[in-house]
Amino acid sequence: MSASARSDLPREEGPVGFFDSGLGGLCILEAFKRECPGESTVYIADSENCPYGNKSADEITCLSEANTRKLLARGCKMVVVACNTATAAAIDKLRASHPSVPFIGIEPAVKPAALKSKSGVVGVLATAGTFGGRLYRETKARFAKGVEVIAVVADEFVELVEKGETSGKRAEAAVRAKIAPLIAAGADHIVLGCTHFPHLRPLIEKVCGGRAEVVDPSEAVARQAKRVLVNSGLLASGRLEPAHEFLRTGRARKNR
Ligand code: DGL
């Protein structure tokens, strides 16, 4: 029997839960599995309610709470909010309503991009919800002083990734339409501020053509998740075979 299905095990043997509005957060899940190969995971792709990007903060909070409850019902010991938009809208409330659960969130990596920029111009791609959140505003005000930060809403990318259309003419045209103006404006760093966007990274890099560095925080989030597991005494012992469960709302369940 898999660790994710057993309630008789110590808490640290439980799975780590992940959720996103859809398939985007899989890049965080994959980074986490590389970082912590002994951990079991449960991933919820809330594709039925995708996109989150243009929903109200209240609506996203309700959806995030529902995803969290499903993960906790499966014995998850920690929840990774693998979605910038849900982190911006809901992470404070999730932490308040589940005080014994460690939550890991994700926000656009404006800080490293601004610190490393030589041109003084960085581009950030995210959803309207993420740009409207307190986290983005505060990080930008604190760490991007004197740097021009160009915010670009790229909802089209979310739709492409949900459809599995990460290459081809239509995807390349959509990527070019968002990236080329940033390059023309002198951006030397392009921050992927939505977990759907790393899935389009090969195309984004092609359009950048070496003129800008693409910043994807997936690995940093995975490392942070591991740090929190270690510091909370929740790292799995490694004695059980890890199990991975993938749930997609509005679709039949399957294991990956
Ligand atoms: N993947 C999500 C994020 O990181 C949002 C995509 C959506 O709009 O649903 O923000």
Side-chain angles (χ1 to χ4, degrees):
M1 189 187 279
S2 74
S4 57
R6 290 176 57 175
S7 57
D8 58 327
L9 292 169
R11 188 175 177 213
E12 66 268 20
E13 303 296 6
V16 174
F18 294 76
F19 75 84
D20 178 41
S21 63
L23 305 176
L26 289 174
C27 57
I28 310 281
L29 176 73
E30 294 310 323
F32 178 77
K33 281 158 89 174
R34 287 191 292 276
E35 192 67 33
C36 296
E39 295 291 334
S40 293
T41 64
V42 181
Y43 182 96
I44 296 177
D46 191 11
S47 296
E48 192 177 7
N49 295 301
C50 191
Y52 282 9
N54 50 14
K55 289 186 168 54
S56 72
D58 281 352
E59 220 175 326
I60 298 165
T61 302
C62 280
L63 295 167
S64 300
E65 184 61 43
N67 293 330
T68 298
R69 283 181 193 278
K70 276 187 211 161
L71 292 170
L72 297 181
R74 285 183 148 70
C76 289
K77 59 187 174 186
M78 179 168 93
V79 174
V80 179
V81 183
C83 174
N84 294 260
T85 313
T87 300
I91 199 154
D92 293 343
K93 290 179 188 109
L94 293 174
R95 286 187 171 128
S97 51
H98 305 279
S100 63
V101 179
F103 284 90
I104 306 292
I106 179 164
E107 63 172 309
V110 172
K111 179 181 168 185
L115 291 176
K116 281 165 60 191
S117 176
K118 291 203 165 52
S119 67
V121 183
V122 307
V124 183
L125 301 165
T127 66
T130 297
F131 287 130
R134 177 183 61 81
L135 271 175
Y136 174 75
R137 257 198 328 274
E138 288 180 1
T139 302
K140 188 179 144 199
R142 204 158 149 215
F143 298 108
K145 285 194 189 84
V147 172
E148 185 188 353
V149 180
I150 306 176
V152 177
V153 173
D155 292 342
E156 303 86 333
F157 292 8
V158 177
E159 197 192 323
L160 287 167
V161 171
E162 285 297 302
K163 286 185 178 154
E165 215 181 315
T166 53
S167 60
K169 282 207 171 90
R170 208 174 85 100
E172 185 165 342
V175 167
R176 195 168 293 282
K178 298 292 178 182
I179 302 294
L182 292 173
I183 301 295
D188 63 356
H189 286 76
I190 307 283
V191 177
L192 305 184
C194 169
T195 53
H196 279 75
F197 301 170
H199 299 270
L200 289 163
R201 187 170 180 155
L203 278 184
I204 294 171
E205 278 179 339
K206 181 177 172 192
V207 175
C208 285
R211 288 163 293 181
E213 190 180 319
V214 176
V215 185
D216 168 13
S218 304
E219 305 287 339
V221 173
R223 284 195 299 275
Q224 171 65 2
K226 182 176 184 180
R227 256 192 307 273
V228 171
L229 284 178
V230 171
N231 294 342
S232 322
L234 287 175
L235 203 64
S237 68
R239 285 193 295 270
L240 294 172
E241 187 64 31
H244 303 288
E245 193 179 3
F246 175 75
L247 307 165
R248 194 169 184 185
T249 57
R251 319 255 173 138
R253 184 200 311 182
K254 64 176 187 186
N255 288 312
R256 291 164 68 96

